[in-house]
Amino acid sequence: MALVRWDPFRELEEVSDRLNRMFARPATRAANGKETMIVADWTPSVDISETEGEYQIKAEIPDVKKEDVKVTLEDGVLTIQGERKHEKEEKGKRYHRIERSYGSFVRTFSLPDVIDEEKVRAEFKEGVLNLSLPKSEKAKPKAIDVKVA
């Protein structure tokens, strides 16, 4: 088990992010570094994983067309935004319950400096957006031979 250095500000940021997700209002950082609020109607769930060579982000955005999703990478911040449109009411069709969220969504992620921004890939398949964020060569572990004198 690896020791992790405790950072109280990181914990405060995590609590803030949880509250923002709970109220469907993700906080983002503006270009000047100050926090701004972007009002979103809902927030897609994401999984973030890491391998030796890359980070991967999987975002669940079912019933959203590819054309309604925009992924941008600017100044080390990855932004996923889009819109899930509500079905138009049809004559003779009555809704008894609507629990799914509709409208615009935004998720932003601060990326580590080790990401090779030129090689970032995005694939949208079966309602899941898969982002591959390769690490740069300088970030990958390198074995060094030690010579005995």
Side-chain angles (χ1 to χ4, degrees):
M1 182 172 141
L3 291 176
V4 178
R5 186 174 178 185
W6 181 62
D7 182 0
F9 296 107
R10 186 180 69 218
E11 288 186 20
L12 284 173
E13 186 177 19
E14 289 173 3
V15 169
S16 175
D17 289 343
R18 287 181 192 161
L19 287 171
N20 286 329
R21 280 196 307 268
M22 185 171 72
F23 293 111
R25 289 190 164 97
T28 60
R29 306 257 182 242
N32 61 5
K34 294 184 178 179
E35 189 172 278
T36 60
M37 292 297 291
I38 295 176
V39 178
D41 296 319
W42 65 285
T43 305
S45 299
V46 299
D47 291 337
I48 301 175
S49 60
E50 177 184 7
T51 64
E52 189 175 304
E54 69 181 5
Y55 290 92
Q56 290 183 330
I57 299 176
K58 290 185 177 188
E60 290 183 348
I61 43 179
D63 290 342
V64 176
K65 295 178 182 174
K66 176 183 166 187
E67 303 81 41
D68 294 331
V69 177
K70 181 180 177 185
V71 178
T72 57
L73 181 57
E74 184 177 346
D75 296 327
V77 177
L78 177 76
T79 303
I80 303 169
Q81 59 187 358
E83 182 178 8
R84 178 164 48 204
K85 297 176 181 166
H86 196 299
E87 297 176 13
K88 294 180 182 176
E89 286 194 33
E90 300 173 22
K91 275 192 169 180
K93 186 177 187 179
R94 294 184 305 186
Y95 288 93
H96 294 279
R97 181 176 295 193
I98 298 176
E99 294 184 349
R100 298 184 325 148
S101 299
Y102 295 91
S104 62
F105 64 87
V106 177
R107 292 296 305 262
T108 59
F109 304 94
S110 295
L111 300 178
D113 294 335
V114 298
I115 299 297
D116 188 347
E117 294 185 7
E118 300 297 320
K119 295 181 180 177
V120 172
R121 297 181 321 272
E123 177 187 28
F124 189 68
K125 185 177 178 183
E126 297 177 1
V128 178
L129 176 66
N130 290 299
L131 297 166
S132 175
L133 308 158
K135 295 179 182 178
S136 63
E137 291 300 319
K138 65 181 178 182
K140 294 179 183 174
K142 187 176 178 181
I144 300 173
D145 291 333
V146 178
K147 296 180 181 176
V148 179

